[in-house]
Amino acid sequence: MRPSSHPSPCADALPLVVDLDGTLLLTDMLHESSLQLVRDAPWKALALPVWLAGGKAALKRRIAQQVEVPVAHLPYNQPLVAWLREQRATGRRVVLCTASDQALADAIAAHLGCFDAVMASDGATNLAGPAKADALVRAFGERGFDYAGNSRADLPVWRAARAAIVVNAPASVARRAEAQGNVQRSFPAAAAGVTAWRKALRLHQWMKNLLLFVPLMAAHRLGDGAAWTQLLMAFVAFGLCASSVYLANDLLDLESDRQHPRKRLRPFAAGTLPAWQGVALVPVLAGASLALAWATAPAFLAWLLVYFATTWAYSLALKRWVLVDCVALAVLYTLRLVAGAAAIAQPLSFWLIACSGFLFLSLAFVKRYAELLVQQAAGKTQAHGRGYLTSDAPMVQSLGVAAGYTSVVVLALYLNSDTVMTMYRAPDLVWATVPVLAFWVSWMWLRAARGQMHDDPLVFACKDRASLAAGAVFVLALAVAALGLPW
């Protein structure tokens, strides 16, 4: 047992022993440290099975030696922490006892400053279940301590304790603890539910996959039923793929999200959902996406793989490179158009790619600009996990506005081409789309400058009345021009 640097005076009350993973923390340090290791040095993931062969305690020690977990930003169980401080203020001895590695446990205890001693795995013994119960009995005697825990592994520890404090336990574990007859207090777990998973999977972001249908509309193939079927399958495949990447991105970006005013509330960052469930679900969603993409069209599968690889590159590295991150986001948006065209074997015009590419680049800058404003308002000088200073916001704004108006110019040049003359019965009416697009670009940047922009501009646009009205006028102008109807 390792004492803290500032032990509290001993009292007559029995020591209060507290578990770490899932109890004091709303997460698991093995999962946290493993994810950080894979994020910072992906090639070391290959070493994990080798380290595990030496035992779980050895695995934890090796990982702890490789990473430095930012303990100040971990999701702590605040009601429990407050109660521990109250108990310690009465003179009661409080001990942190965890299966996590000693180095990580010491760092957390030092940060919180409410423990008199720390007991943890030492690289040889994994201090969990019966091993933890035996260690505590040796230290304090049978029934010589109270214990706060959360999992099935804590049942033998509760049996050896005088009193059990049940924290964030699943219902089945709580019932078994109650059956032992010594539960003194409970801190119920907050139910995650469907809402947490809906947020984690970012189902609202699936709206961006409507871009897959743009090539169908641009080619005036709205009456092609087979094409609609292919695109609906492509829509679901892209959604599953995107959700798998969102999960992976959140798991690899926990540190940065926890330092962001809004992103800290994401389910994995806040500890609402356990990280291991996200890790398990990522390959399931990705596999289902690829299978559906193959059933849609081999060409579509190829472009989905490009999208998948680019999103992983973005999650692992590109999002940390200044300006490159915005170009990568624009590419990811544009890939939806390309993949949609591939799903229905529709050639894409240079004009559509150029106009949409610059427009998406502008939206990527909107996203980053909005984030910089949030960080700036929080008094920070740098966006954590990104290559930007908050003072870069005016330059990002300038680049984004320029990209947006370049898309307007490209659209105007396209409308002056011979293609428009042959595709539309009333080509002059198509010019109404130019001021509409100019308005929308200006409107998005105006809202961003006022600090009213959602983190993702396309999702914002799908909920914004002015954006929806501009989109309706844009589509109406194209429809009238195509049909040659009078205004």
Side-chain angles (χ1 to χ4, degrees), residues 199-390:
K199 292 180 178 178
L201 294 171
R202 307 278 222 292
L203 295 184
H204 63 283
Q205 297 280 8
W206 284 34
M207 288 186 291
K208 292 189 290 189
N209 297 332
L210 293 174
L211 293 171
L212 292 163
F213 295 85
V214 171
L216 180 73
M217 293 183 285
H220 296 186
R221 293 175 57 185
L222 296 180
D224 190 336
W228 279 100
T229 301
Q230 294 294 100
L231 286 174
L232 288 173
M233 294 172 62
F235 178 86
V236 176
F238 243 89
L240 293 173
C241 179
S243 289
S244 73
V245 176
Y246 285 132
L247 290 180
N249 184 67
D250 285 355
L251 292 168
L252 296 174
D253 215 21
L254 291 173
E255 180 182 350
S256 296
D257 284 353
R258 286 170 181 158
Q259 298 183 52
H260 191 279
R262 290 196 297 267
K263 293 181 182 179
R264 63 184 178 83
L265 300 177
R266 287 178 174 175
F268 293 115
T272 308
L273 295 175
W276 71 266
Q277 292 184 8
V279 172
L281 193 56
V282 166
V284 174
L285 294 176
S289 169
L290 296 178
L292 189 57
W294 172 255
T296 301
F300 172 74
L301 172 62
W303 282 112
L304 183 65
L305 288 172
V306 173
Y307 173 85
F308 190 71
T310 306
T311 51
W312 270 101
Y314 177 80
S315 296
L316 293 173
L318 300 183
K319 67 181 178 184
R320 296 177 178 83
W321 298 354
V322 65
L323 300 182
V324 174
D325 64 329
C326 290
V327 174
L329 284 174
V331 170
L332 290 173
Y333 284 131
T334 308
L335 279 173
R336 288 177 168 87
L337 297 183
V338 178
I344 59 173
Q346 175 64 45
L348 273 179
S349 72
F350 160 80
W351 296 107
L352 180 58
I353 291 295
C355 180
S356 59
F358 281 111
L359 182 61
F360 295 146
L361 181 59
S362 180
L363 295 179
F365 279 123
V366 165
K367 176 181 173 70
R368 196 61 69 231
Y369 175 74
E371 290 180 351
L372 290 176
L373 289 188
V374 171
Q375 300 281 11
Q376 202 171 54
K380 297 185 178 181
T381 59
Q382 186 168 6
H384 190 276
R386 302 290 187 267
Y388 296 89
L389 304 175
T390 54

Side-chain angles (χ1 to χ4, degrees), residues 9-85:
C10 291
D12 292 336
L14 295 183
L16 174 57
V17 183
V18 185
D19 179 41
L20 178 64
D21 301 315
T23 303
L24 182 67
L25 282 177
L26 301 178
T27 185
D28 186 289
M29 287 309 300
L30 177 58
H31 302 157
E32 292 273 335
S33 55
S34 299
L35 287 168
Q36 186 171 333
L37 176 72
V38 172
R39 184 198 67 192
D40 296 340
W43 59 90
K44 290 185 179 179
L46 300 175
L48 293 178
V50 179
W51 296 344
L52 182 58
K56 202 169 183 179
L59 170 69
K60 294 175 180 178
R61 173 56 52 91
R62 293 298 297 269
I63 295 175
Q65 291 172 341
Q66 303 286 326
V67 301
E68 185 176 347
V69 178
V71 296
H73 302 291
L74 291 172
Y76 293 98
N77 187 336
Q78 294 300 337
L80 179 63
V81 171
W83 183 68
L84 294 179
R85 296 189 190 281

